[in-house]
């Protein structure tokens, strides 16, 4: 989230798309309801009418996988009707930047792709281009050859070369009628949604987008999110109260695990993961700078601390080397930085390490061992039968989980979930180790919610039996691995033997809190002496008070720069904290443990009586970065003189202002403390401006509609059916939806229920949860049910090219067949919470989902694929 | 003594069933046997194990489609018919207005379930029954219970071991935004604030104001349910007949 949960209440319009927030994030509806109570409008966009839709003022049916068309149409509506925030667009985005004249949108030249598509090395799937690449040389700003590079800005938004005009060109074909023929939405409702949403373009109005996996789990998932970002930028809805684009995370610490590098392409704090090509730190930093450059030729504002041409561009990643050096020192404090860098494992350049690729490698026996900590891929990963088969090729697997999940018990069942005989089990050669884990309430530590708030929590109960806190399991494992490596060194033992692992052997139940605090302090970071010990000359605890004090020279360490300031020495607390000594609960300096309930901005209550209390709650827990509750918040103020509305630094929306400048910033922690106009608001980009034109993505600087890999609809937007950059794994199985008589003609999607959680390994073991939602089902329209002779509650078989599941039918008016330009498309929805290892067994909807991922991130395409349905006659 | 009441605002209810499970949990009731029968509603009706069941109602079609949620439970009559009918005197009414079953006195083997017959609010289908319920199915077997119905969580709202806001008055302050564990389990667990308990006068005036607001803001048929004679009132977004009431 660019915002946080409470901020949803400040929105004038809330659009829930790619999410069913009432179902999967019921607590979020506390704030959605508050927005509605204040007169706000709720828009729900979904393939079916959901619990969220039940509270919406406007609901649009949208066929799965057509988000870009849906949002593209709203973007076009805003552009055609001048419903965009012109001042914001000019000052805060790259709208005025002139683009290379060789650049072509999808609406010209080879329709459906941008200039530079390179099909060499590509392939086809059912005759459609896939596995292609782009030569991005035309996806570039015009400017003087650098370095330093000076971009050319258009005088106004009418310049045909500026990013704004290209955006307009790209989305011009997305007319209301064209959009509705793709999405299947009712054009009347769709236009009402366009009007209601775009009405938030004035300075004092804001709209927020709540999205989740319904947005991201597509082969165009990244571009779906891009389309939201572009729309929000046009309307001036980023950085302001009640705005933003808000990823609702699927569990309470996904944000934290992402920050801490659960993804394959980053290290903690979103530092680029080095590859073998990055032979030393200097090369790594140079290549990193190069990869974050947004365009060719070299665009060099401020890299490696060398100031560039534009002093107002603070380009925060210029500090990347400080964060990388501090990370290396957190892991190997006794080593110098050159050696420390060498200790770091490197990826093979060009190789993909995503979940899909891991299971692909496992399937092909390229992986021997697997530690599965709090995951249940036998239920959650696409083409689950393939995943279950892959697990059989492992030599060993360690499962760390409170319950024996489907993954832990895969060897007791065949891939369809039928029990195996003892002889059959004996034929599986994977040794499975089960380490029983405590659940959240049985351990202490921090969890980061979707709003980036790191909240400390305390242990409420002891784990049962021999179950242990994850942190204890991991630290014990580390100690044992270090001991064994020291006793019988391998080829290169130092990365392990010299790793900073300041934990002692587990000896008491109270150890968990101490251990969690120790880890949290290491993540925060310390000042270091040259020998790697903690330097206590600056303050007695040696904790670094904020990330701006981290260095490139090895005098500081920090396990994650973004979390620096979460744990501070009592001498570094701020004035309000010092004045309220009860702030820190029992643990002085642990800002995540702050529980100051009243709403207060940074620095405590403002003397300013006009301050609107927008729910920042700055002294409840702590959030990264630097406790900034709304990021890019400089964009909520006038960049230059606001005329009658005030000077630069005055809030755009006085009634819900995030902060204001009056000799200093008051309100939220400013996103860069410079005076108004001193720094562009979008500080993570080299040019300081948010990207309407965003060439960092694999398949284009703008989103363009492509159909899902499996679809019965021919893409009307140009010559390309599917995302041409998508990677097709060898052996992955798909069906051709455009075949004359498709074998699997029904569009399907997957989702979750309020009553169960994720793969269900916890909730399916809770009788109350099983009681309220006892069996898996497939939802379908009355029209489809009539065609197939299915009655509500009947057992049915849902099949696809990869397998089938047997579930009950839920026949409902909440699903409707889509009418697309004379073509009727039926859609169904399957639930994926179930598996074979608990009471009330059933099978996961992921048995049906295709083994293919987004072109940028490889997130699975679980939300749009093809199936067939038949009634099971007993 | 001031009476208390509870308002259930269905315009804010998202059908999450948190109140349903919280009620079951606080009353230490086990899960009962269920199966998927074509609706999100489960179990299908109140029982000896389920004192509060969220009902799911789909009405209209296409642009007019509505999905209504109705947390169904005892209405807490001002003059409980069930109490008057019970030959064993097992239903007790508190001086603040709500009533509950005194399980020590209740013995369904010694009566004809007069409480159930007398209760004017019949729920469930195909044979609607009065609200106090006995028994539930578990592992295919009928389990015996005493009569069960909502008791307004009397053992929460007066429970000194739970954190209250206004301990000196002996009753909780229901109205604040602050942490207050002494609310009924269903109210405390509701994410959207659809359930509010408090002094009857306050609750009734909120309910009336809310109905007026809804009538003018997209719900012309908004109404109250059941009427003036209960301590639990529902704010409905549609006419009560749409809910089958
Ligand atoms: S609604 Fe029925 S069970 Fe509840 S108090 Fe009234 S008569 Fe008794
Ligand atoms: S007040 Fe208590 S007993 Fe009554 S429905 Fe709510 S949780 Fe159940
Ligand atoms: S907890 Fe609240 S929102 Fe959820 S079903 Fe009950 S009344 Fe409705």
């Amino acid at each position: 989230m660019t915002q946080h949960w409470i901020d949803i209440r400040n929105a004038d319009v809330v659009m829930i798309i790619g999410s069913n927030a009432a179902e999967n994030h019921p607590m979020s509806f506390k704030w959605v309801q508050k927005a509605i109570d204040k007169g706000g409008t709720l828009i729900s966009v979904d393939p079916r009418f959901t619990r969220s839709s039940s509270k919406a003022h406007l609901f649009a049916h949208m066929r799965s996988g057509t988000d870009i068309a849906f949002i593209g149409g709203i973007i076009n509506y805003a552009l055609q009707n001048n419903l965009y925030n012109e001042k914001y667009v000019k000052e805060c985005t790259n709208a005025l930047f002139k683009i290379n004249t060789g650049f072509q949108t999808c609406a010209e030249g080879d329709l459906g792709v941008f200039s530079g598509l390179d099909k060499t090395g590509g392939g086809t799937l059912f005759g459609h281009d896939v596995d292609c690449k782009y030569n991005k040389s035309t996806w570039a700003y015009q400017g003087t050859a650098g370095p330093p590079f000076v971009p050319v800005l258009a005088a106004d938004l009418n310049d045909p070369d500026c990013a704004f005009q290209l955006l307009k060109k790209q989305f011009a074909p997305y007319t209301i009628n064209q959009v509705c023929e793709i999405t299947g939405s009712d054009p009347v409702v769709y236009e009402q949604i366009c009007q209601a949403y775009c009405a938030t373009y004035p300075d004092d109005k804001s709209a927020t987008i709540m999205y989740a996996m319904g947005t991201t789990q597509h082969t165009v998932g990244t571009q779906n999110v891009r389309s939201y970002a572009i729309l929000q930028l046009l309307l001036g809805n980023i950085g302001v109260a009640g705005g933003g684009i808000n990823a609702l995370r699927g569990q309470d610490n996904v944000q934290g695990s992402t920050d801490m590098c659960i993804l394959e392409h980053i290290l903690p704090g979103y530092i680029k993961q080095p590859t073998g090509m990055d032979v030393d730190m200097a090369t790594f930093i140079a290549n990193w700078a190069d990869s974050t450059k947004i365009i060719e030729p070299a665009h060099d504002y401020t890299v490696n601390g060398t100031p560039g041409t534009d002093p107002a561009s603070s380009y925060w990643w210029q500090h990347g080397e400080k964060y990388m050096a501090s990370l290396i020192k957190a892991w190997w404090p006794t080593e110098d930085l050159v050696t420390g860098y060498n200790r770091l494992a490197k990826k093979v350049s060009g190789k993909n390490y995503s979940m899909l690729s891991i299971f692909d490698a496992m399937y092909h026996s390229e992986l021997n061992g697997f530690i599965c900590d709090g995951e249940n891929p036998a239920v959650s990963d696409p083409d689950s039968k393939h995943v279950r088969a892959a697990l059989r090729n492992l030599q060993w697997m360690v499962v760390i989980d409170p319950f024996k999940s489907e993954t832990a018990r895969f060897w007791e069942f065949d891939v369809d979930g039928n029990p195996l005989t003892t002889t059959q089990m004996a034929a599986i050669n994977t040794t499975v180790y089960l380490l029983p884990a405590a659940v959240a309430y049985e351990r202490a530590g921090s969890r980061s919610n979707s709003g980036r708030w790191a909240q400390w929590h305390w242990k409420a109960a002891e784990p049962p039996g021999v179950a242990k806190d994850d942190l204890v399991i991991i630290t014990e494992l580390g100690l044992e691995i270090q001991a064994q490596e020291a006793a019988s060194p391998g080829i290169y033992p130092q990365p392990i033997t010299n790793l900073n692992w300041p934990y002692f052997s587990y000896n008491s139940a109270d150890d968990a809190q101490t251990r969690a605090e120790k880890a949290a302090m290491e993540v925060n970071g310390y000042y270091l002496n040259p020998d790697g010990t903690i330097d206590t000359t600056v303050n007695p605890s040696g904790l670094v008070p904020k990330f701006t004090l981290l260095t490139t020279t090895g005098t500081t360490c920090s396990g994650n720069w973004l979390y620096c300031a979460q744990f501070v020495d009592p001498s570094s607390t701020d004035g309000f904290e010092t004045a309220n000594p009860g702030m820190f609960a029992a643990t002085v300096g642990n800002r995540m443990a702050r529980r100051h309930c009243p709403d207060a901005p940074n620095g405590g209550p403002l003397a300013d009586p006009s301050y609107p209390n927008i729910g920042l709650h700055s002294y409840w827990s702590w959030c990264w970065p630097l406790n900034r509750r709304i990021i890019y918040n400089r964009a909520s103020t006038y960049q230059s003189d606001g005329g009658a509305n005030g000077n630069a630094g005055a809030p755009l929306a006085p009634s819900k202002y995030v902060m204001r400048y009056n000799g200093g910033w008051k309100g939220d922690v400013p996103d860069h403390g410079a005076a108004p106009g001193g720094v562009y608001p979008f500080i993570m980009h080299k040019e300081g401006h948010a990207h309407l034109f965003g060439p960092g993505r694999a398949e284009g600087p703008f989103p363009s509609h492509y159909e899902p890999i499996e679809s019965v609809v021919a893409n009307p937007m140009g010559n390309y059916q599917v995302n041409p950059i998508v990677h097709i794994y060898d052996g992955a199985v798909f069906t051709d939806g455009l075949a004359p008589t498709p074998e699997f003609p029904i569009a399907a999607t997957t989702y979750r229920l309020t009553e169960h959680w994720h793969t269900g390994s916890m909730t399916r073991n809770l009788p109350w949860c099983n009681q309220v939602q006892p069996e898996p089902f497939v939802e379908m329209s009355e029209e489809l049910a009539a065609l197939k002779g299915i009655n509500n509650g009947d057992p049915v078989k849902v099949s696809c090219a990869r397998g089938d599941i047997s579930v009950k039918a839920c026949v409902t008016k909440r699903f409707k067949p889509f009418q697309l330009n004379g073509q009727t498309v039926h859609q169904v929805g399957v639930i994926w919470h179930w598996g074979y290892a608990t009471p009330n067994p059933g099978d996961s909807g992921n048995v049906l989902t295709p083994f293919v991922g987004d072109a940028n991130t490889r997130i699975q395409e679980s939300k749009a694929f093809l199936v067939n349905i038949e009634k099971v006659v007993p | 003594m001031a009476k208390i009441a509870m308002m259930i605002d269905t315009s804010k209810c998202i059908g999450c069933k948190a109140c349903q499970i919280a009620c079951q949990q606080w009353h230490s009731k086990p899960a009962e046997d269920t199966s998927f029968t074509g609706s999100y509603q489960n179990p299908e009706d109140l029982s000896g194990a389920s004192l509060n069941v969220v009902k799911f109602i789909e009405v209209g079609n296409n642009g007019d489609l509505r999905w209504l949620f109705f947390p169904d439970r005892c209405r807490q009559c001002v003059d409980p018919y069930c109490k008057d009918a019970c030959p064993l005197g097992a239903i007790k009414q508190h001086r603040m207005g709500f009533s509950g079953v005194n399980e020590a006195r209740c013995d369904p083997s010694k009566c004809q379930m007069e409480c159930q017959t007398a209760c004017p609010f019949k729920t469930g289908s195909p044979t609607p029954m009065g609200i106090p319920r006995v028994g539930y199915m578990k592992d295919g077997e009928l389990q015996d219970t005493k009569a069960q119905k909502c008791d307004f969580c009397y053992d929460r709202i007066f429970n000194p071991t739970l954190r209250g806001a206004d301990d000196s008055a002996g009753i909780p302050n229901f109205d604040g935004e602050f942490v207050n564990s002494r609310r009924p389990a269903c109210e405390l667990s509701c994410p959207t604030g659809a359930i509010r308990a408090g002094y009857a006068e306050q609750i009734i005036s909120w309910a009336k104001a809310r109905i007026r607001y809804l009538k003018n803001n997209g719900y012309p048929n908004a109404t109250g349910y059941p009427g003036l004679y209960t301590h639990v009132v529902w704010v409905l977004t549609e006419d009560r007949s749409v809910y089958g009431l």
Side-chain angles (χ1 to χ4, degrees):
Chain A
M1 281 187 165
T2 56
Q3 324 288 114
H4 57 104
W5 291 106
I6 297 173
D7 183 66
I8 294 168
R9 79 175 197 211
N10 295 317
D12 297 288
V13 177
V14 178
M15 176 149 67
I16 302 179
I17 178 168
S19 148
N20 179 3
E23 184 100 30
N24 297 311
H25 302 87
M27 280 313 297
S28 72
F29 255 64
K30 175 172 186 165
W31 310 110
V32 173
Q33 185 61 50
K34 284 189 195 293
I36 295 173
D37 287 346
K38 289 202 289 194
T41 304
L42 176 61
I43 298 171
S44 162
V45 183
D46 206 280
R48 65 181 168 136
F49 192 96
T50 64
R51 291 192 222 211
S52 305
S53 319
S54 78
K55 293 288 155 290
H57 303 93
L58 290 164
F59 164 70
H61 274 286
M62 184 197 82
R63 182 170 59 93
S64 284
T66 62
D67 298 65
I68 291 171
F70 195 94
I71 300 294
I74 307 180
I75 291 172
N76 187 39
Y77 187 89
L79 293 173
Q80 301 300 334
N81 297 291
N82 290 326
L83 301 172
Y84 54 87
N85 191 320
E86 191 180 339
K87 193 173 169 63
Y88 184 102
V89 164
K90 283 179 170 166
E91 289 185 339
C92 299
T93 78
N94 64 4
L96 285 174
F97 285 59
K98 290 177 79 156
I99 308 299
N100 185 304
T101 47
F103 175 74
Q104 283 190 325
T105 67
C106 293
E108 53 202 316
D110 188 2
L111 296 182
V113 290
F114 299 91
S115 46
L117 185 70
D118 177 4
K119 296 186 188 178
T120 46
T124 58
L125 178 69
F126 306 127
H128 314 307
D129 290 306
V130 290
D131 274 309
C132 301
K133 283 189 183 48
Y134 269 106
N135 171 348
K136 296 187 179 183
S137 59
T138 58
W139 304 7
Y141 291 148
Q142 292 181 24
T144 59
F149 173 87
V150 183
V152 179
L153 266 61
D156 58 40
L157 294 174
N158 297 319
D159 188 315
D161 286 350
C162 75
F164 183 82
Q165 283 302 324
L166 295 169
L167 178 76
K168 210 167 172 176
K169 207 185 260 181
Q170 168 71 9
F171 286 105
Y174 292 71
T175 59
I176 290 177
N177 285 339
Q178 179 63 75
V179 166
C180 293
E181 273 171 15
I182 296 171
T183 64
S185 315
D186 176 338
V188 176
V189 178
Y190 183 68
E191 185 160 8
Q192 288 169 349
I193 290 175
C194 290
Q195 279 164 355
Y197 202 84
C198 295
T200 62
Y201 82 90
D203 283 347
D204 59 345
K205 293 269 183 284
S206 56
T208 190
I209 295 181
M210 296 166 71
Y211 75 92
M213 297 297 116
T215 295
T216 56
Q217 290 182 343
H218 292 280
T219 41
V220 292
T222 307
Q223 293 287 8
N224 284 344
V225 182
R226 275 281 295 150
S227 69
Y228 305 163
I230 292 172
L231 177 61
Q232 291 293 66
L233 288 168
L234 285 176
L235 301 175
N237 281 340
I238 301 273
V240 304
I245 60 168
N246 295 309
L248 313 184
R249 305 308 209 128
Q251 56 116 315
D252 62 355
N253 203 19
V254 174
Q255 183 64 53
S257 45
T258 313
D259 301 338
M260 294 306 293
C261 84
I262 201 169
L263 299 174
E264 51 117 11
H265 66 297
I266 43 173
L267 289 172
Y270 302 90
I271 294 171
K272 183 179 170 299
Q273 168 78 50
T275 72
M277 305 294 279
D278 303 315
V279 290
D280 54 28
M281 184 76 145
T283 318
F284 167 73
I285 293 297
N287 286 345
W288 186 16
D290 203 44
S291 71
T292 58
K293 88 170 167 272
I294 61 155
I295 43 153
E296 312 272 349
H299 172 254
D300 225 337
Y301 274 114
T302 318
V303 173
N304 265 338
T306 315
T309 53
D310 195 338
S313 175
S314 91
Y315 181 46
W316 205 258
W317 279 120
Q318 69 176 288
H319 304 291
E321 187 176 352
K322 298 173 189 168
Y323 309 146
M324 181 65 162
S326 296
L327 176 64
I328 289 170
K329 281 305 239 184
W331 288 347
W332 296 282
T334 57
E335 314 255 38
D336 61 59
L337 281 169
V338 174
T339 319
Y341 179 81
N342 291 338
R343 301 294 186 227
L344 202 58
K346 317 287 191 299
K347 292 206 303 185
V348 175
S349 178
K351 194 171 161 117
N352 185 278
Y353 294 79
S354 66
M355 275 302 264
L356 290 183
S357 297
I358 287 172
F359 278 95
D360 188 56
M362 202 186 286
Y363 190 80
H364 294 109
S365 299
E366 291 161 24
L367 267 183
N368 298 330
F370 178 46
I371 298 183
C372 182
D373 185 359
E375 286 255 346
N376 188 6
V379 170
S380 60
D381 281 26
D383 197 356
S384 311
K385 293 186 184 180
H386 172 84
V387 167
R388 294 166 194 168
L391 293 171
R392 294 171 173 221
N393 295 341
L394 288 169
Q395 287 169 17
W396 57 266
M397 172 170 73
V398 179
V399 177
I400 306 175
D401 207 282
F403 291 98
K404 279 196 201 173
S405 64
E406 280 70 17
T407 305
R409 295 182 63 190
F410 84 91
W411 52 278
E412 297 175 50
F413 299 85
D414 67 14
V415 294
D416 295 312
N418 303 310
L420 295 179
T421 64
T422 322
T423 330
Q424 288 169 322
M425 286 183 212
I428 296 175
N429 289 320
T430 313
T431 308
V432 179
Y433 303 91
L434 186 68
L435 302 182
V439 300
Y441 314 102
E442 294 158 355
R443 52 180 205 238
S446 73
R447 275 179 267 166
S448 301
N449 72 11
S450 301
R452 300 164 284 106
W453 292 20
Q455 304 195 75
W456 197 259
H457 62 103
W458 292 265
K459 186 162 65 174
E462 286 302 324
V466 293
K468 286 195 172 43
D469 185 329
D470 296 67
L471 188 61
V472 169
I473 294 174
I474 294 297
T475 48
E476 290 297 303
L477 199 59
L479 288 170
E480 186 59 31
I481 291 171
Q482 278 188 321
Q484 292 202 13
E485 193 70 22
S488 52
I491 303 170
Y492 185 35
Q494 292 89 343
I496 293 169
T497 51
N498 295 359
L499 182 71
N500 180 32
W501 205 252
Y503 306 96
F504 39 89
S505 212
Y506 186 75
N507 53 19
S508 84
D510 290 333
D511 193 29
Q513 167 92 4
T514 328
R515 223 173 255 233
E517 286 177 357
K518 212 169 192 172
M521 286 191 260
E522 184 191 319
V523 167
N524 179 87
Y526 292 107
Y527 292 105
L528 294 182
N529 293 313
D531 66 352
T533 56
I534 296 169
D535 174 359
T536 53
T537 51
V538 182
N539 64 51
S541 63
L543 290 163
V544 180
K546 53 184 173 182
F547 59 64
T548 48
L549 298 168
L550 298 175
T551 69
T552 55
T553 53
T555 59
T556 57
C557 72
S558 172
N560 186 335
W561 69 280
L562 282 174
Y563 282 86
C564 190
Q566 66 174 357
F567 223 117
V568 291
D569 188 86
S571 64
S572 321
T573 52
D574 76 16
F576 189 66
E577 287 169 332
T578 314
N580 290 272
M583 182 78 76
F584 287 104
T587 325
V588 173
N590 181 353
R591 285 190 164 135
M592 299 167 285
R594 297 184 303 185
R595 289 296 182 269
H596 184 72
C597 210
D599 190 6
N602 180 42
L606 290 189
D608 175 359
S610 76
Y611 185 69
N613 283 338
I614 55 166
L616 295 174
H617 291 275
S618 298
Y619 292 90
W620 179 280
S621 78
W622 178 88
C623 86
W624 69 258
L626 299 174
N627 206 28
R628 183 175 299 133
R629 304 279 155 144
I630 297 180
I631 51 183
Y632 308 123
N633 54 21
R634 292 178 68 95
S636 72
T637 63
Y638 284 94
Q639 303 305 307
S640 50
D641 192 349
N645 298 316
N647 301 325
L652 298 174
S655 68
K656 48 181 176 186
Y657 79 77
V658 180
M659 54 184 206
R660 83 174 338 144
Y661 191 79
N662 206 347
W665 290 103
K666 291 274 187 277
D668 196 9
V669 179
D671 213 341
H672 202 293
V679 155
Y680 301 132
F682 288 89
I683 64 168
M684 302 315 282
H685 284 315
K686 280 185 186 162
E687 71 282 44
H689 288 71
H691 287 181
L692 292 180
F693 181 87
R697 309 289 80 74
E699 63 284 84
F702 301 124
S704 179
H705 172 69
Y706 298 108
E707 285 291 323
I709 289 292
E710 292 190 342
S711 167
V712 290
V713 180
N715 184 5
M717 307 307 274
N719 307 323
Y720 295 82
Q721 172 72 4
V722 299
N723 182 347
I725 312 302
V726 85
H727 174 63
I728 302 295
Y729 286 90
D730 282 347
V733 180
F734 305 101
T735 191
D736 182 3
L738 296 180
T741 11
E743 195 183 349
F744 301 101
I746 301 170
T749 190
T750 59
Y751 40 75
R752 307 191 297 183
L753 301 166
T754 308
E755 293 87 340
H756 283 285
W757 188 71
H758 216 62
T759 71
S761 72
M762 295 212 284
T763 52
R764 283 184 279 120
N765 281 298
L766 291 178
W768 284 319
C769 293
N770 268 346
Q771 164 205 254
V772 286
Q773 219 44 286
E775 291 174 78
F777 53 90
V778 53
E779 288 184 288
M780 68 186 78
S781 67
E782 292 175 342
E783 292 82 350
L784 178 63
L787 265 170
K788 299 280 179 182
I790 295 168
N791 294 316
N792 198 11
D794 278 352
V796 292
K797 188 171 101 175
V798 190
S799 52
C800 74
R802 294 159 290 279
D804 55 70
I805 57 173
S806 295
V807 292
K808 294 255 180 93
C810 180
V811 179
T812 170
K813 290 185 169 62
R814 294 178 292 101
F815 258 113
K816 283 284 160 205
F818 295 104
Q819 304 299 341
L820 314 169
N821 204 10
Q823 183 184 6
T824 303
V825 178
H826 290 284
Q827 171 139 32
V828 299
V830 287
I831 319 287
W832 64 270
H833 290 299
W834 270 269
Y836 42 77
T838 56
N840 292 29
D843 218 342
S844 167
N846 278 318
V847 166
L848 307 171
T849 53
F851 198 83
V852 64
D854 171 79
N856 297 279
T857 65
R858 300 276 169 101
I859 191 171
Q860 63 207 50
E861 185 158 71
S862 313
K863 300 301 181 187
F865 53 98
L866 294 175
V867 298
N868 205 353
I869 283 200
E870 60 195 289
K871 183 168 171 161
V872 176
V873 186
Chain B
M1 176 167 240
K3 305 285 188 211
I4 58 175
M6 182 184 292
M7 139 187 187
I8 303 175
D9 183 353
T10 64
S11 74
K12 293 185 179 179
C13 174
I14 54 173
C16 73
K17 305 185 192 168
C19 55
Q20 180 174 330
I21 293 183
C23 176
Q24 200 171 21
Q25 184 190 35
W26 179 251
H27 293 84
S28 306
K29 302 296 179 210
E32 57 186 293
D33 292 352
T34 56
S35 63
F36 182 80
T37 55
S39 161
Y40 280 42
Q41 181 177 317
N42 234 323
E44 288 188 74
D45 197 21
L46 301 170
S47 75
S50 299
L51 284 47
N52 171 30
V53 171
V54 183
K55 303 288 175 74
F56 287 70
I57 304 141
E58 274 176 48
V59 291
N61 206 348
N62 295 319
D64 175 40
L65 182 65
R66 280 146 294 155
W67 201 7
L68 308 174
F69 313 119
F70 181 80
D72 201 355
R73 77 282 280 279
C74 165
R75 278 61 167 157
Q76 292 290 2
C77 299
V78 168
D79 287 312
Y81 301 82
C82 54
K83 168 184 160 231
D84 296 345
C86 176
L88 303 176
I91 293 179
K92 264 190 83 167
Q93 188 171 23
H94 191 272
R95 58 208 156 119
M96 292 181 81
F98 58 88
S99 57
V101 177
N102 177 355
E103 293 203 20
R105 279 197 177 204
C106 173
D107 185 349
S109 68
K110 294 206 178 100
C111 72
Q112 307 296 323
M113 284 297 290
E114 284 87 345
C115 58
Q116 191 180 75
T117 319
C119 172
F121 299 103
K122 311 293 187 201
T123 75
S125 68
T127 321
M129 287 188 284
I131 283 168
R133 297 290 161 90
V134 172
Y136 60 91
M137 296 297 287
K138 180 82 186 163
D139 302 329
E141 311 235 334
L142 180 65
Q143 311 289 316
D144 286 337
T145 64
K146 304 292 174 74
Q148 302 291 337
K149 75 173 197 73
C150 163
D151 57 12
F152 220 101
C153 286
Y154 73 91
D155 51 351
R156 293 184 65 86
I157 61 180
F158 300 125
N159 190 335
T161 66
L162 297 179
R163 186 168 158 200
D166 184 5
D167 290 344
S168 58
I171 50 164
N173 176 352
F174 298 108
D175 307 346
E177 289 278 354
F178 39 80
V179 179
N180 182 348
S181 304
R182 282 195 208 168
R183 290 183 267 179
C186 54
E187 181 193 12
L188 189 62
S189 62
C190 177
T192 61
I195 303 179
R196 300 294 298 273
Y199 294 111
E201 275 182 19
Q202 174 73 79
I203 292 291
I204 299 299
S205 85
W206 277 344
K208 285 184 174 162
R210 182 71 183 167
I211 292 164
R212 272 197 302 277
Y213 173 83
L214 291 172
K215 274 180 184 296
N216 294 323
N217 287 278
Y219 300 98
N221 302 322
T223 180
Y225 171 84
L228 293 174
Y229 311 107
T230 59
H231 289 273
V232 180
V233 291
W234 281 259
V235 171
L236 304 179
T237 52
E238 306 290 336
D239 188 82
R240 60 181 65 179
S241 63
V242 177
Y243 293 81
L245 297 168

